[in-house]
Amino acid sequence: MTTTSYRPQLKTSDVSSHVNGHSEISPLLTNMQISISSDKEPADRNSNHEIVEDKNSNRSSPVEQAKAPKRRSDVDAIMIILTYGIFLFHLCRVFCPGSDTLVQHPDVTNTTSTEDTFTLISPFYVISWFIGFMHVWNMPMFFYLSGRNTYSSLFRRRLREYRKERVQRLLVPVLFMSVVLQFPITLSYFAPHTTALKEESYWEYTRKFYKRPGLHQAWFLLYLFIFSQMFVCRFVATHPAHQTPDSTSCLPTLRQTPQEFVLTVNWLLGGPVRFVLIPGLLLGILETTQNVIGGYIRAFPFLTYMAVYLLGYITAAGDTERLLDCWAGWYLYSGVLLSSLYGVGVVQWGWGVVERSSVDLLQGAVEGFTRGLGLWLLTTGCLMTTRTRFSEPRDWHSEYRTLAMPFYLIHLQVIVSYSAGALWIPYIRTFPAMLVVTSFLSFSLSYLVTKSTNLRYLFGLPPLEESWLPGKMLGGFVPVFVLAVLVGIHITLARFV
């Protein structure tokens, strides 16, 4: 067995000067020892980081770590809560005036007439505020945690293994969504509509969905897949577990060592003010630009989410948050305040979440910097706070984390298909009734997916031992090719038949 040890010699005084006077140093800099072994078994695959077990591969992972990041139970808890928060976000949009959702409560346009002397504020305004509040940080936090998980994942995988894992976990569910899972969305044809649909049959209505790849809520997975493939070479070039010639060959011109990378990160973000201003201003500028451009990029800001994903990886590499734990409360409360103000902007001025048209520079800047600073402060403040609150793993973490992916991919279909019938009936179309029923249905279907043998693979979960998916042919990529062909077929048939 050949083992290469990597022990950088760094003085504590040299590093401390780069982290704004903090005496705590990133563990990567003080106790770094990376062992790369060719015949050991891979690290524990039951870690909470995003892993897809390749049951069809007999080759063990060559990347071994002497000191990989410890499993964080708080990340499990946050991911579980976030997933259900996305469910609440989509359910609330059914009751939100001005929302462009496919199904909408019949009374959302009558908010003034439904108020009486005992109603101080219409519930529709409260729901609109909640949607705006969630819009600031719910999806950015997913991207931020995904960036952090990328850093941990690379301790256990080579570059090629990581790319394959991203295809199996992210691209397969995106394609499956377009082929199969978007069909329940077409049932919105039968729901009551605040504006009458033009005269068309259900078949004509359905064809509109299949004329293009149907992403729906899977847009997040597609974005994440693109980001991971775009930046993994840059990540590998400075990752402590990949400092071998074959690991860094994809970017031979980048010679920055892991220690130098961490020093750079802590020099830029190591101070409490710089940690807020540099990322906050960057995100504010990106948000402003996308608001002025308008259209799809305003509703789904690609540049903002890409920056948040990269910041997640960077702060994980430098362990920057640990150096600033004492500021966690200030960051969290400030983020909640800014997110709440953004929610007021949604109610009062129809900010980003309820419209996609472009805005003038002043409004775009106010909206953009409110969201940019708010999402950064709330996301990082929340993660710093939960680090100490959820220090020990709970029994329910693993099971509910497994449910998270199928729940995310199913919940919108459940909401739309249930609403198509329930919104016609006065009592069962109330918010509490819809919340209980759709939550139960989404959890039940997600649980069945996790217990299935082959279906779970199509939802981005690791296949079971007896599963015949993804198989060994073409390196396990046959299902990807088949799904891609089916997407092309449904687009062709919908457009020309």
Side-chain angles (χ1 to χ4, degrees), residues 179-233:
V179 175
V180 177
L181 292 182
Q182 73 166 330
F183 175 75
I185 301 292
T186 64
L187 298 178
S188 59
Y189 175 84
F190 301 103
H193 295 273
T194 54
T195 57
L197 294 174
K198 65 179 182 179
E199 293 186 5
E200 59 182 354
S201 65
Y202 173 66
W203 168 248
E204 294 171 329
Y205 183 78
T206 302
R207 285 179 59 188
K208 294 190 300 184
F209 288 89
Y210 284 91
K211 286 183 177 179
R212 60 186 64 86
L215 298 180
H216 305 288
Q217 71 269 36
W219 67 266
F220 161 70
L221 303 181
L222 181 61
Y223 274 24
L224 191 56
F225 175 76
I226 295 172
F227 299 157
S228 63
Q229 300 299 327
M230 284 175 59
F231 298 108
V232 66
C233 278

Side-chain angles (χ1 to χ4, degrees), residues 151-167:
Y151 178 75
S152 299
S153 179
L154 288 174
F155 276 98
R156 293 177 296 278
R157 294 179 180 85
R158 281 182 173 177
L159 175 63
R160 180 175 297 180
E161 293 171 337
Y162 176 79
R163 288 190 185 276
K164 179 179 179 180
E165 184 265 349
R166 294 289 81 187
V167 171

Side-chain angles (χ1 to χ4, degrees), residues 72 74-75 77-79 81-82 137 141 144-145 321 325 327-333 335-336 374-390:
R72 289 185 56 177
D74 60 315
V75 174
I78 291 175
M79 293 292 285
I81 296 171
L82 269 181
W137 56 270
M141 190 175 288
Y144 185 78
L145 294 177
E321 293 169 352
D325 273 347
W327 294 89
W330 288 98
Y331 294 160
L332 180 61
Y333 297 142
V336 170
L375 74 87
W376 177 248
L377 287 168
L378 198 151
T379 298
T380 54
C382 180
L383 207 60
M384 292 177 186
T385 303
T386 57
R387 180 196 290 267
T388 56
R389 300 294 178 88
F390 294 93

Side-chain angles (χ1 to χ4, degrees), residues 2-217:
T2 303
T3 303
T4 303
S5 297
Y6 179 49
R7 297 176 179 271
Q9 301 296 323
L10 292 175
K11 295 181 179 179
T12 301
S13 58
D14 295 336
V15 180
S16 299
S17 62
H18 289 279
V19 293
N20 200 31
H22 290 282
S23 59
E24 275 193 286
I25 311 301
S26 170
L28 179 64
L29 293 174
T30 55
N31 297 307
M32 184 182 292
Q33 179 180 357
I34 306 302
S35 297
I36 301 175
S37 175
S38 59
D39 58 356
K40 287 186 179 181
E41 289 297 319
D44 181 13
R45 291 181 179 267
N46 293 321
S47 166
N48 74 325
H49 305 295
E50 297 180 354
I51 299 176
V52 171
E53 298 180 13
D54 188 358
K55 299 292 185 181
N56 299 305
S57 175
N58 295 321
R59 187 182 68 174
S60 62
S61 174
V63 181
E64 285 284 335
Q65 82 280 17
K67 190 157 184 154
K70 185 180 178 181
R71 173 174 178 161
R72 289 185 56 177
S73 57
D74 60 315
V75 174
D76 276 340
I78 291 175
M79 293 292 285
I80 294 166
I81 296 171
L82 269 181
T83 304
Y84 192 72
I86 296 297
F87 166 84
L88 292 177
F89 177 84
H90 284 134
L91 182 61
C92 285
R93 284 175 68 86
V94 178
F95 299 85
C96 178
S99 175
D100 60 353
T101 186
L102 292 167
V103 290
Q104 204 165 43
H105 195 281
D107 291 339
V108 294
T109 57
N110 302 319
T111 54
T112 56
S113 62
T114 54
E115 291 181 314
D116 53 37
T117 55
F118 300 100
T119 304
L120 297 179
I121 183 169
S122 169
F124 297 112
Y125 296 134
V126 177
I127 290 174
S128 297
W129 173 87
F130 175 77
I131 288 177
F133 175 79
M134 290 285 290
H135 178 67
V136 173
W137 56 270
N138 58 359
M139 295 311 301
M141 190 175 288
F142 270 124
F143 284 105
Y144 185 78
L145 294 177
S146 297
R148 296 185 64 87
N149 285 343
T150 297
Y151 178 75
S152 299
S153 179
L154 288 174
F155 276 98
R156 293 177 296 278
R157 294 179 180 85
R158 281 182 173 177
L159 175 63
R160 180 175 297 180
E161 293 171 337
Y162 176 79
R163 288 190 185 276
K164 179 179 179 180
E165 184 265 349
R166 294 289 81 187
V167 171
Q168 307 284 13
R169 183 167 173 81
L170 300 176
L171 190 58
V172 167
V174 169
L175 297 173
F176 186 64
M177 170 70 71
S178 184
V179 175
V180 177
L181 292 182
Q182 73 166 330
F183 175 75
I185 301 292
T186 64
L187 298 178
S188 59
Y189 175 84
F190 301 103
H193 295 273
T194 54
T195 57
L197 294 174
K198 65 179 182 179
E199 293 186 5
E200 59 182 354
S201 65
Y202 173 66
W203 168 248
E204 294 171 329
Y205 183 78
T206 302
R207 285 179 59 188
K208 294 190 300 184
F209 288 89
Y210 284 91
K211 286 183 177 179
R212 60 186 64 86
L215 298 180
H216 305 288
Q217 71 269 36

Side-chain angles (χ1 to χ4, degrees), residues 409-458:
L409 292 169
I410 286 175
H411 77 274
L412 184 60
Q413 284 70 6
V414 172
I415 291 173
V416 171
S417 55
Y418 177 80
S419 300
L423 290 179
W424 291 101
I425 306 173
Y427 292 103
I428 67 172
R429 73 186 182 196
T430 60
F431 183 83
M434 293 186 63
L435 176 64
V436 171
V437 175
T438 54
S439 295
F440 174 77
L441 291 175
S442 298
F443 274 115
S444 299
L445 292 173
S446 301
Y447 180 78
L448 293 176
V449 169
T450 62
K451 298 303 179 182
S452 65
T453 302
N454 297 297
L455 189 60
R456 57 186 284 127
Y457 167 78
L458 299 173

Side-chain angles (χ1 to χ4, degrees), residues 264-337:
T264 302
V265 170
N266 288 331
W267 179 78
L268 286 173
L269 304 178
V273 177
R274 283 174 291 166
F275 185 78
V276 174
L277 288 184
I278 294 177
L281 292 176
L282 170 64
L283 295 173
I285 293 171
L286 294 176
E287 279 287 300
T288 301
T289 303
Q290 292 162 130
N291 290 338
V292 173
I293 294 174
Y296 181 88
I297 197 173
R298 185 185 182 196
F300 301 94
F302 182 89
L303 298 177
T304 298
Y305 294 146
M306 181 174 67
V308 172
Y309 172 79
L310 292 174
L311 287 168
Y313 180 90
I314 289 170
T315 55
D319 202 17
T320 312
E321 293 169 352
R322 188 174 63 86
L323 303 177
L324 302 171
D325 273 347
C326 59
W327 294 89
W330 288 98
Y331 294 160
L332 180 61
Y333 297 142
S334 300
V336 170
L337 176 61

